[in-house]
Amino acid sequence: MNSKRYTITSALLYANGPVHIGHVAGAYLPADIYVRYLKLNEDDVVFICGSDEHGAAITLQAKKEGITPKKIIDKYHNLNKKTFEDFGINFSIYHRTSSKVHHETASEFFENLDNKNVFVKKTTQQFYDNKNKQFLADRYIKGECPKCAYIHAYGDQCESCGTTLSPEELINPKSTLSGEAPEKKNTTHWYLPMQKHEKWLKKWIETGDVNGKKQHDPKTWRKQVLGQCKSWIEGGLRERAMTRDLDWGVKVPLKNAEGKVLYVWLDAPIGYISATKQWAKDNNKKWKPYWKEKDTQLIHFIGKDNIVFHSIIFPIILKSHGEYILPANVPANEFLNLEGKKLSTSRNWAIWLKDYLVDFKGKQDSLRYALCATSPEGKDTDFTWLEFQSRNNNELVAIYGNYINRVFVLINKYWQGVVPKAEVIEKFDEEVLLKLSKYPEKVGAQIKLFKFREALSLVMRLARTGNKYLADTEPWKLKNIDESRVKTIMNISIQIVSSLAILSEPFLPFTAKKLKKILNIKDMKWENAGKIYIHDGHKIEKPTHLFEKIEDKDIEYQLKKLNN
């Protein structure tokens, strides 16, 4: 098998609060599924993420909590890093944009672009809070969204409809610091003239071509990503300031730029590169092939509110630099709603991952399964606690867990855990084995297309196939009549279980680990699925239940907690 090289990124998470399930469903679980699949295929993968620790969102939270930005980012970086680890999101590195290597990388990047005259230096009028004597970053301004009339839209984005905004577009803008209407004052910034890049961007997005070379296949890009990019380009790209008047962030590395920092959406994506540098240093690797070699696939996993930054602004920055590859895909998800309403951190209408891990100890895979099964891949979807309970009890327990447990129990009961030999293979057995052989390719094909819901449903279909095979053959009725037949049935059944252990790993890694332990097998690769992998005479361990039912009282408690 020829190993391929991949750089996979998940959106850097603002270090101003804990992780909620909307974050997980949007950018982190899909990436983790994809990376685990690639690793099972023995590809060369670096999985990059970390904390976005600059920008107004951080300073706002610091003011709210009455502590310094440094204390805010330390608090939430450490909390979120541990939460992701506990949930099984297996990053190669979870880095920080406050790190020295990031400040150096971002500064070098800015200087490189400035030396190439990529930016335009301009003096314009911007919003200023006279009471607090400071210019207002986009997040320090709130007003009415011109698109949906939401009255708490920020100066950079409406969190209700997801529209990317500028402060000038807000109706009745107010400073979040003083609550007063801001005035306008002159200030100087470095702008990225995006309109100069429209022609090549349009061709790259629509055809995948840059300078006559194929960079990606647009047929594999999601409709919402292509649609949003085309809408931006057709509407005419405009200049966008790449610096801000703030005292928190990466300082603009030029003379006469005191009090200026890099715009967080220039700073943050460069964080993927600086994180890769740190990972490479920590692991005695070279970082450049993961960002500069043409045979590397760069893939950004994000939510739909970040599409423009990863599909337009960051590609402009990368191409303008001249040495970097462009993304091969940006599989952005839509939004996950909660109990029929939009998730809202300010209203505490959210399920915090850290709380879930306490309330449902050891049930990481139950949530991973539910979030993947309802993943907002093509449209907004809704998470409900009742559906979560139903998926756990009626699918993971009753179908997946039940089948595997019966196979383990019968082999332990009849042959003390020693796998029997398949003696006479009948036509029905051959049909089941043929079905089994096709699952790895089917599941893998869907994962490669970023259709994780469909891939997961195929894994569950294999568990149903196993259940039906046992129900149709009824080996427990044949043990005293035709033991040879029972041996064949149970040998085939354990092959299905071993394939489930492999095919489930991207989605249910904790369960896959338990299965490998019971199967008494260490390393299993994707290519081992769908085949006769467990040989007769192999000894398996005694089974433990993979999943347990979630009771009504547990769900009632969560609904009560949410509504309080």
Side-chain angles (χ1 to χ4, degrees):
M1 187 177 290
N2 292 326
S3 176
K4 295 176 183 174
R5 190 189 308 110
Y6 292 85
T7 301
I8 310 297
T9 73
S10 282
L12 302 190
L13 187 67
Y14 272 135
N16 68 335
V19 189
H20 59 62
I21 63 165
H23 294 134
V24 177
Y28 306 104
L29 180 58
D32 188 65
I33 291 167
Y34 192 70
V35 167
R36 287 177 181 274
Y37 167 73
L38 295 177
K39 287 183 176 180
L40 281 166
N41 280 287
E42 300 185 86
D43 286 317
D44 179 7
V45 190
V46 62
F47 184 15
I48 300 296
C49 194
S51 293
D52 183 353
E53 299 180 318
H54 298 140
I58 306 300
T59 52
L60 274 170
Q61 189 66 28
K63 283 181 187 291
K64 187 177 173 184
E65 295 192 25
I67 56 178
T68 64
K70 178 73 169 70
K71 285 187 176 174
I72 282 285
I73 62 173
D74 287 347
K75 172 183 173 181
Y76 289 113
H77 172 79
N78 293 326
L79 172 65
N80 293 335
K81 185 173 186 281
K82 184 176 189 306
T83 303
F84 279 130
E85 284 170 1
D86 292 347
F87 192 60
I89 305 294
N90 198 20
F91 300 122
S92 303
I93 185 170
Y94 192 74
H95 202 229
R96 312 184 64 163
T97 58
S98 63
S99 69
K100 186 179 178 222
V101 68
H102 175 69
H103 278 245
E104 288 171 352
T105 303
S107 296
E108 286 165 10
F109 227 95
F110 187 91
E111 284 183 286
N112 176 288
L113 298 177
D114 188 62
N115 289 336
K116 290 178 177 174
N117 298 313
V118 172
F119 301 126
V120 175
K121 190 178 177 183
K122 283 173 62 177
T123 299
T124 60
Q125 288 202 320
Q126 294 201 2
F127 286 118
Y128 184 83
D129 187 321
N130 203 34
K131 187 176 179 181
N132 287 277
K133 305 297 179 198
Q134 72 175 75
F135 283 99
L136 296 170
D138 302 345
R139 284 257 153 182
Y140 280 86
I141 305 163
K142 273 190 177 181
E144 184 181 322
C145 174
K147 302 279 185 184
C148 73
Y150 179 62
I151 61 170
H152 298 296
Y154 286 107
D156 62 347
Q157 192 170 55
C158 174
E159 295 200 339
S160 178
C161 69
T163 301
T164 303
L165 300 168
S166 66
E168 287 74 18
E169 293 176 274
L170 292 176
I171 300 162
N172 299 322
K174 295 276 194 301
S175 165
T176 60
L177 298 178
S178 63
E180 296 176 3
E183 59 183 75
K184 284 200 163 183
K185 272 194 170 187
N186 284 345
T187 185
T188 301
H189 285 291
W190 285 258
Y191 285 76
L192 179 66
M194 296 198 293
Q195 67 276 13
K196 288 185 178 179
H197 301 270
E198 279 181 11
K199 192 174 177 183
W200 77 261
L201 266 175
K202 187 174 191 294
K203 188 172 184 185
W204 172 67
I205 286 163
E206 290 181 354
T207 69
D209 287 356
V210 175
N211 300 329
K213 292 179 182 175
K214 194 82 167 173
Q215 303 276 334
H216 72 82
D217 180 2
K219 291 200 274 308
T220 66
W221 282 44
R222 289 183 174 164
K223 287 179 183 176
Q224 63 265 31
V225 178
L226 293 174
Q228 203 177 118
C229 290
K230 286 176 185 177
S231 174
W232 266 70
I233 292 166
E234 285 164 12
L237 297 178
R238 298 189 291 276
E239 290 178 336
R240 196 179 186 107
M242 291 290 113
T243 56
R244 290 291 188 269
D245 290 294
L246 276 173
D247 57 3
W248 179 253
V250 178
K251 308 296 181 196
V252 174
L254 304 174
K255 288 179 181 178
N256 304 316
E258 291 78 18
K260 314 280 183 190
V261 299
L262 304 195
Y263 174 40
V264 72
W265 275 111
L266 171 63
D267 163 14
I270 295 170
Y272 299 139
I273 299 168
S274 58
T276 310
K277 285 183 177 181
Q278 188 62 55
W279 165 80
K281 184 181 177 184
D282 294 343
N283 292 277
N284 198 25
K285 296 253 194 181
K286 293 178 180 176
W287 72 271
K288 287 182 181 179
Y290 295 89
W291 282 96
K292 297 186 178 186
E293 295 282 344
K294 288 181 173 57
D295 58 349
T296 296
Q297 295 268 298
L298 170 63
I299 300 169
H300 299 305
F301 284 86
I302 55 168
K304 68 177 174 183
D305 51 338
N306 288 342
I307 289 172
V308 65
F309 304 111
H310 287 78
S311 304
I312 292 180
I313 296 176
F314 194 40
I316 290 174
I317 297 300
L318 292 171
K319 186 172 182 294
S320 297
H321 188 286
E323 295 177 12
Y324 287 81
I325 56 172
L326 299 182
N329 212 311
V330 184
N333 268 359
E334 300 278 335
F335 288 152
L336 181 77
N337 296 324
L338 174 59
E339 300 288 350
K341 292 189 240 175
K342 285 188 180 293
L343 279 151
S344 171
T345 55
S346 58
R347 296 197 314 272
N348 202 31
W349 188 256
I351 297 168
W352 305 103
L353 188 56
K354 65 182 178 63
D355 293 345
Y356 174 89
L357 293 168
V358 172
D359 294 346
F360 293 94
K361 195 171 172 59
K363 291 186 171 63
Q364 294 97 325
D365 282 350
S366 296
L367 183 58
R368 287 178 68 109
Y369 180 82
L371 289 177
C372 184
T374 189
S375 178
E377 291 171 1
K379 62 179 182 179
D380 291 359
T381 55
D382 194 42
F383 178 93
T384 70
W385 276 116
L386 284 174
E387 187 181 13
F388 164 76
Q389 180 190 28
S390 173
R391 287 194 184 280
N392 181 83
N393 294 355
N394 301 333
E395 295 172 27
L396 291 176
V397 174
I399 298 168
Y400 185 101
N402 178 54
Y403 168 66
I404 291 169
N405 189 60
R406 285 202 291 174
V407 173
F408 286 150
V409 165
L410 290 175
I411 290 175
N412 271 285
K413 181 181 176 183
Y414 296 159
W415 302 288
Q416 292 75 51
V418 177
V419 175
K421 184 180 179 181
E423 299 194 341
V424 179
I425 304 288
E426 297 183 0
K427 189 175 180 227
F428 183 47
D429 305 327
E430 287 175 353
E431 288 169 1
V432 169
L433 288 169
L434 181 62
K435 277 185 189 175
L436 172 63
S437 70
K438 292 179 178 177
Y439 271 95
E441 189 180 341
K442 284 182 180 178
V443 176
Q446 296 304 312
I447 292 175
K448 285 176 194 170
L449 291 170
F450 310 104
K451 294 181 178 179
F452 305 114
R453 286 173 70 165
E454 179 58 26
L456 180 60
S457 75
L458 285 167
V459 174
M460 190 54 67
R461 196 180 301 169
L462 177 57
R464 287 188 172 95
T465 298
N467 259 326
K468 187 176 184 304
Y469 179 63
L470 278 187
D472 289 347
T473 54
E474 298 182 310
W476 47 88
K477 289 185 178 178
L478 301 173
K479 178 68 171 67
N480 297 324
I481 305 167
D482 187 353
E483 184 163 359
S484 173
R485 178 71 189 134
V486 176
K487 285 179 177 178
T488 300
I489 293 165
M490 297 317 299
N491 183 289
I492 290 169
S493 295
I494 202 78
Q495 308 310 329
I496 296 172
V497 170
S498 72
S499 287
L500 280 170
I502 300 166
L503 302 182
S504 301
E505 187 167 331
F507 311 95
L508 311 171
F510 295 91
T511 304
K513 189 177 179 181
K514 288 179 193 172
L515 276 175
K516 283 188 216 168
K517 190 175 179 183
I518 299 168
L519 285 166
N520 202 11
I521 284 168
K522 288 182 180 174
D523 293 319
M524 300 168 86
K525 303 300 178 189
W526 196 264
E527 65 181 11
N528 301 136
K531 298 175 181 174
I532 303 296
Y533 186 66
I534 307 289
H535 297 289
D536 54 276
H538 180 80
K539 179 85 163 63
I540 63 169
E541 303 297 329
K542 287 197 161 49
T544 54
H545 284 291
L546 300 174
F547 299 97
E548 55 186 37
K549 278 195 169 184
I550 291 169
E551 303 299 335
D552 291 348
K553 63 180 174 57
D554 299 322
I555 299 304
E556 286 160 12
Y557 171 74
Q558 293 302 327
L559 287 167
K560 187 178 176 183
K561 186 163 82 166
L562 187 60
N563 286 294
N564 284 340

